[in-house]
Amino acid sequence: MLLKDKVVLVTGASQGIGKAAAIGCARHGADVVINYHGDDAGAADAVAQIEALGRRAIAVKGDVAEASTAGVFVRAAVEAFGVVDVFVNNAGICPFHAFLDMPPEILERTLRVNLHGAYYMVQAAANQMVRQGHGGSIIAVSSISALVGGEMQTHYTPTKAGVHSLMQSTAIALGKHGIRCNSVLPGTIETAINREDLADQNKRDYMAGRIPLGRLGEPDDLAGPIVFLASDLARYVTGAALLVDGGAFVNLQ
Ligand code: NAP
C-alpha cells in the first residue's frame, strides 16, 4: 500500500504500459484518473479493473496533442477526487517509418503527441500541485530510445530523449515546490505499439536473445518502478532516469 489514498493521473492508459501502471497504482491503494484517445473499451476495462480492487477511477477521453486537453484532464481529476498527487505522462505513439522519405505528417504528429503532449500535461499537473502546496511526483514514460538510436524511429527517439530532458529541467524548476520529476526508460515491452514489428519470429528471438534477463518485457514490468518513483520510498529521488529493460542497454555484444 505504497500509494494509499493518493490520487494518480495517467495519460494513455486504455492499454499497454499506461493501463498496467494505472492498475498497479490502484493495487497500492491509489484512486486513478486515466486519459486515453480512442480505445473506449480499453479505458472502460481499466476503470472496471481498478474498481474491482476497491479503488475509485474515472476515464477522460482526449487527444494530448491538443493543449486544451491537459487542463480539461486535470480539472476533471480535481472535480472527481479533489487533488492531484502523482502524474504519469505515458501517452505516446511510434509509427515506424524510414528516415529518407519520412512524411511530414507522421513527423509532426509524433512530435505533437509525444513531446508537446507531455509538455502541456506536465505543466497542467505541476500547476495544480503547486496550488495544492504539498508537493507531488511526476513520472514520464521515456524509453531506452532516449539513449540509443533506431533506424525506423528517427522521429520517435528525439521525442523520448525530449521527455527525459523535460523531467531533468522540471526537476529543477519544481524542486522548490517539493515536486519530484523522474523518468522510466522501458526497453522493448510487448504492446500494440510494436505488435507489427514483433510479428516476425526471427526478430523476436534475436531481440530476446540480446536481453540478459532472456525475455521481452510486458506492461506490468513497468508498474513496480512507476509505483516506486511515485511513492515516498523515492522521496529523495528527482531528475533521475530508471532503465527498465531487462539489461538490454548494457549488453553491447
Ligand atoms: P500502446 O499499447 O499503443 O498504448 C498507447 C496508449 O497511449 C494508449 O492508451 C493510447 O490511447 C494512448 N494514446 C496514443 N495517442 C494518444 C493521444 N494523442 N492522446 C491521448 N492518448 C493517446 O503503447 P505502449 O507501448 O503502452 O506505450 C506507452 C508509452 O510507453 C509510450 O510513450 C511509448 O513511447 C513508451 N514506450 C513503449 C515501449 C514499448 O516497447 N512498448 C518502449 C519504450 C517506451 P488509445 O489506445 O485510447 O488511442
Side-chain angles (χ1 to χ4, degrees):
M1 285 293 152
L2 290 173
L3 301 175
K4 181 108 185 75
D5 297 330
K6 299 278 187 201
V7 176
V8 176
L9 278 59
V10 187
T11 66
S14 56
Q15 54 178 317
I17 293 169
K19 186 176 189 176
I23 294 166
C25 289
R27 223 178 270 133
H28 277 274
D31 295 324
V32 186
V33 183
I34 69 168
N35 149 274
Y36 70 106
H37 187 221
D39 183 1
D40 296 321
D45 182 62
V47 168
Q49 288 199 50
I50 291 165
E51 288 175 347
L53 292 165
R55 301 307 314 185
R56 300 178 295 171
I58 59 166
V60 186
K61 193 171 184 170
D63 181 353
V64 299
E66 301 292 331
S68 57
T69 301
V72 170
F73 183 48
V74 170
R75 274 195 299 280
V78 174
E79 272 164 32
F81 302 143
V83 289
V84 174
D85 296 306
V86 175
F87 182 80
V88 182
N89 191 88
N90 167 77
I93 56 171
C94 183
F96 290 76
H97 204 286
F99 174 58
L100 291 176
D101 60 349
M102 176 69 67
E105 316 77 73
I106 293 186
L107 171 63
E108 293 282 341
R109 179 69 184 158
T110 306
L111 292 170
R112 291 248 156 234
V113 172
N114 295 7
L115 197 50
H116 289 67
Y119 198 101
Y120 301 138
M121 278 286 183
V122 168
Q123 187 186 41
N127 270 304
Q128 177 60 30
M129 289 174 180
V130 169
R131 278 194 294 275
Q132 291 166 189
H134 54 80
S137 173
I138 297 175
I139 299 144
V141 180
S142 171
S143 172
I144 189 173
S145 308
L147 308 177
V148 297
E151 182 179 0
M152 304 297 278
Q153 304 184 342
T154 55
H155 52 325
Y156 171 80
T157 61
T159 68
K160 296 282 108 176
V163 293
H164 168 52
S165 170
L166 178 63
M167 288 301 96
Q168 293 181 315
S169 289
T170 54
I172 301 165
L174 299 172
K176 56 174 142 334
H177 299 288
I179 301 169
R180 297 182 294 102
C181 301
N182 296 288
S183 50
V184 288
L185 279 55
T188 301
I189 312 296
E190 291 199 71
T191 69
I193 216 170
N194 50 25
R195 193 164 289 144
E196 219 173 289
D197 194 46
L198 293 175
D200 177 350
Q201 190 61 42
N202 289 335
K203 182 159 189 184
R204 291 176 66 89
D205 293 346
Y206 168 74
M207 291 186 78
R210 284 185 45 82
I211 297 170
L213 290 184
R215 64 170 176 86
L216 300 175
E218 51 193 63
D220 211 33
D221 290 327
L222 268 300
I226 288 172
V227 167
F228 162 68
L229 289 171
S231 78
D232 288 343
L233 284 183
R235 67 186 183 188
Y236 200 55
V237 181
T238 195
L242 178 53
L243 270 165
V244 187
D245 67 345
F249 178 70
V250 294
N251 190 15
L252 183 63
Q253 293 187 321

